[in-house]
Amino acid sequence: MAGCDDSFDIIVVGAGPVGLSFAASLAHSQLKLAVVEGQSLERLASPAFDGREIALTHASIGILRELGAWDVISASDKSPLQGARVLNGSSPFALRFDSPGGSAEPLGVLVPNCQIRDALFKIIRLQGHARLLCGHSVVRATNSRQRAVITLSNGRQLSARLLVAADSRFSATRNLLGIGADINRLGNSMLICRVRHERPHHQIAIEWFDHHQTIAMLPLAPGVSSLLLTLPSNQADGLLALDDELFLRELTKRCRGRLGTMSLASQRYIYPLATTWAHRFRAPSAALIGDAAIGMHPVTAHGFNIGLGGQKQLARGIQTAWRDRRDIADPDMLHRYESRLRLSAAPLYHATNILVGLYSSEHPAARLARHLGLRLGQHLPFVRHGIAAMLRR
């Protein structure tokens, strides 16, 4: 049986950005929290650059500001996104997304994933309200209406009134709780690197659905972009293995010279792509947040924004219950959390999967449909402005 030192109000499994955000959201609740993370404390304290740039909406920036993390991130790591263009194949036509009404306010802000993690970790350490238990994974989890109990890989047993899984889209904790998920391994990988280039990007992002590949160009500092190339995994692995000179030659060819002469500004990173949707976002004395609940395709760049908003909903429900002296794992509260997250995320999740299917198909009918879709979207202002407004929320 766990001793009193191993008994908590809430245990969070996973110290990624959403898990850390959730812990920070409960800083003023006086609840006893533990954050369990498989990585070492040293790696968590100094997250390495991993190639990923997160497109933050204004709502997400507001949450990070409330947590105190936004001001910890250096201004040089914040790249405003003034607009976006969607291209299809060799067509010169582009669907344009800009701030509604000619507003000078950007659609969003790009921030390196590692900088978000670093800022949130510093906030957690500064607040000191959550105990960080690093270097061990969860190997067993049981839950009942009264309590959840986990066993770590070093044999230590912890218990809590509420267990919150935030340990990736392939969440081991979710599996241990017996919660299934729709997992779609797409057979593609995303190869990411920063590049310097001679042509200006004007802080405009480009999403280019070309034949047999998708290219995204995210504007960072002047003359620097994050370039994301999505290919069948075997092709992406082949590109990763090329030396820098051959890789840049191949990259320039695939980009058709859109950025002019390019040089590498970072090493290359590769991520196999998969989407996930948990069958349930809650269980007795347990809840899922972030990618453990919903693993979005990165094409919309909305996965972290959904996860950040979801953890805020759950934290708010817990805080209200705590303030009113009610159960922090109240089944009705967890049901409301699940229902709201499903309602807000499902349309974007399913629409994104349809979009990816349409734009990755090489069938002539699909090519025609996506060309007509872009044209129609451009001539229906409520579609363009509606999507732009969603990006700015």
Side-chain angles (χ1 to χ4, degrees):
M1 183 174 177
C4 62
D5 194 45
D6 290 335
S7 180
F8 298 88
D9 294 308
I10 299 174
I11 296 173
V12 185
V13 181
V18 174
L20 291 175
S21 297
F22 177 71
S25 292
L26 294 171
H28 304 296
S29 67
Q30 297 182 325
L31 290 164
K32 186 179 179 184
L33 266 71
V35 179
V36 176
E37 169 59 40
Q39 292 187 91
S40 68
L41 184 63
E42 291 73 23
R43 289 190 64 184
L44 199 59
S46 301
F49 177 70
D50 61 9
R52 290 178 289 186
E53 309 288 339
I54 307 300
L56 296 170
T57 63
H58 290 273
S60 291
I61 292 170
I63 293 173
L64 292 176
R65 184 173 281 118
E66 289 172 8
L67 298 179
W70 184 247
D71 292 335
V72 176
I73 301 171
S74 169
S76 62
D77 288 314
K78 300 171 182 175
S79 304
L81 184 60
Q82 298 294 351
R85 306 289 181 264
V86 181
L87 307 173
N88 177 44
S90 58
S91 171
F93 177 80
L95 178 60
R96 302 166 60 94
F97 296 103
D98 297 298
S99 296
S103 170
E105 188 177 46
L107 288 178
V109 178
L110 292 159
V111 178
N113 180 58
C114 63
Q115 296 300 331
I116 297 173
R117 295 173 67 106
D118 181 62
L120 289 166
F121 178 82
K122 288 175 178 174
I123 292 299
I124 292 294
R125 294 304 296 270
L126 181 67
Q127 292 169 340
H129 73 289
R131 184 180 302 179
L132 289 166
L133 304 175
C134 299
H136 299 287
S137 59
V138 177
V139 296
R140 189 167 184 267
T142 59
N143 62 306
S144 67
R145 290 186 178 276
Q146 287 73 42
R147 208 152 184 80
V149 179
I150 64 171
T151 303
L152 304 184
S153 53
N154 64 350
R156 185 176 180 183
Q157 192 176 85
L158 311 175
S159 68
R161 183 65 193 94
L162 180 65
L163 173 63
V164 177
D167 52 340
S168 88
R169 61 190 63 200
F170 302 114
S171 171
T173 308
R174 180 184 66 212
N175 294 338
L176 291 169
L177 289 169
I179 300 176
D182 295 326
I183 300 176
N184 184 17
R185 299 178 187 271
L186 301 174
N188 291 334
S189 292
M190 181 174 285
L191 194 155
I192 308 175
C193 62
R194 284 185 174 184
V195 293
R196 299 183 187 88
H197 46 84
E198 62 178 344
R199 294 181 183 169
H201 49 53
H202 303 295
Q203 302 303 138
I204 303 294
I206 295 175
E207 187 87 31
W208 182 18
F209 295 97
D210 200 11
H211 305 311
H212 305 291
Q213 66 177 15
T214 301
I215 297 175
M217 303 170 189
L218 306 180
L220 303 177
V224 179
S225 292
S226 176
L227 198 146
L228 300 80
L229 177 62
T230 301
L231 293 166
S233 294
N234 60 337
Q235 295 182 32
D237 290 339
L239 278 180
L240 187 68
L242 295 177
D243 64 36
D244 288 355
E245 183 179 350
L246 286 176
F247 174 73
L248 282 169
R249 190 182 303 168
E250 179 68 18
L251 203 59
T252 301
K253 177 183 174 183
R254 288 177 176 274
C255 291
R256 301 186 192 178
R258 285 185 179 275
L259 296 176
T261 302
M262 293 188 293
S263 62
L264 284 172
S266 77
Q267 68 182 78
R268 291 166 264 171
Y269 304 84
I270 194 165
Y271 295 97
L273 296 182
T275 62
T276 58
W277 181 274
H279 296 164
R280 292 178 288 132
F281 300 161
R282 64 183 170 103
S285 301
L288 311 182
I289 60 174
D291 282 357
I294 303 166
M296 291 283 295
H297 192 288
V299 70
T300 60
H302 250 335
F304 177 64
N305 295 302
I306 289 175
L308 196 59
Q311 69 78 26
K312 181 179 179 179
Q313 288 180 33
L314 181 59
R316 183 180 294 165
I318 292 169
Q319 287 171 321
T320 300
W322 175 259
R323 184 192 63 213
D324 296 343
R325 300 180 183 276
R326 292 186 288 108
D327 182 7
I328 62 169
D330 173 50
D332 290 337
M333 182 274 290
L334 294 179
H335 174 71
R336 287 192 296 273
Y337 158 71
E338 178 181 50
S339 298
R340 289 169 181 166
L341 183 56
R342 283 186 181 278
L343 186 64
S344 62
L348 185 59
Y349 177 84
H350 294 298
T352 298
N353 291 344
I354 293 171
L355 177 75
V356 170
L358 175 64
Y359 278 86
S360 60
S361 173
E362 292 302 316
H363 192 280
R367 291 188 186 185
L368 177 62
R370 61 199 187 212
H371 177 73
L372 292 176
L374 291 184
R375 291 278 183 177
L376 183 64
Q378 187 65 38
H379 289 92
L380 293 175
F382 68 87
V383 174
R384 278 188 299 114
H385 294 164
I387 293 175
M390 179 190 71
L391 293 173
R392 297 173 71 246
R393 283 207 301 264

